[in-house]
Amino acid sequence: KQGTLLQNCKPKLKYVNFKLKFDEDYGKDEQPLWQYQYLKHGSCCQKMYNQNAYFSLALRLKDRFDILRTLQLHQIFPGSSYTFKEIFDAVKTATQMDPDLKCTKGAPELK
C-alpha cells in the first residue's frame, strides 16, 4: 500500500558482515549503517531478496535516481532554505512518485 512505511518486519533478519574492499577499521566504522538499513527495511522484502540482492538493488536504485543532481537542476542547493513543497516537487520529478520526506524535529533539514 502506497504511503505505508515498510520497516522492522517479522521475522527478524540476521545481518552478515560483508567482506569490504576497505581496511578492517574502516569496515567496522562504516558497516553499522548497512546493518541498520538492512534490518530495518530489508526485513520487509526478505521473501524476495536476500541480503546481497537487497543491497545490489539498493545500489542500482541509488545510481538510477541522482537526487542531489535533481535538486541542483531545480536550483536547490545545500546550505540554503527551501520550502517543503519545492523539495518534494523536485524529487518527485526524478522518481515519478510522492517521495517519503519528513522534517527532522528540532533541525532545519529533511530526511
Side-chain angles (χ1 to χ4, degrees):
K1 175 173 143 179
Q2 188 174 0
T4 300
L5 292 178
L6 295 176
Q7 56 190 26
N8 301 314
C9 296
K10 303 273 188 253
K12 187 174 180 182
L13 291 173
K14 180 179 183 206
Y15 179 79
V16 178
N17 280 343
F18 284 109
K19 301 251 188 267
L20 298 174
K21 296 179 183 179
F22 306 102
D23 67 54
E24 188 175 331
D25 290 333
Y26 181 85
K28 286 179 184 174
D29 290 343
E30 298 301 318
Q31 207 156 11
L33 175 64
W34 289 68
Q35 180 178 4
Y36 172 80
Q37 291 301 319
Y38 181 63
L39 295 177
K40 183 173 183 179
H41 301 294
S43 62
C44 297
C45 60
Q46 59 188 297
K47 290 180 182 174
M48 293 175 54
Y49 301 102
N50 66 24
Q51 182 176 321
N52 287 336
Y54 172 79
F55 283 117
S56 179
L57 175 61
L59 291 170
R60 283 197 313 274
L61 289 172
K62 176 196 73 74
D63 291 339
R64 183 174 169 200
F65 300 111
D66 185 346
I67 300 300
L68 184 57
R69 179 74 180 129
T70 297
L71 293 172
Q72 290 171 345
L73 289 172
H74 287 87
Q75 301 300 305
I76 297 173
F77 302 98
S80 298
S81 296
Y82 304 93
T83 67
F84 183 89
K85 183 172 176 12
E86 288 172 319
I87 296 170
F88 183 95
D89 290 346
V91 172
K92 187 173 181 175
T93 65
T95 63
Q96 301 301 304
M97 296 181 70
D98 290 345
D100 183 20
L101 301 175
K102 294 177 180 58
C103 293
T104 302
K105 186 176 182 178
E109 58 187 41
L110 290 174
K111 283 187 168 184

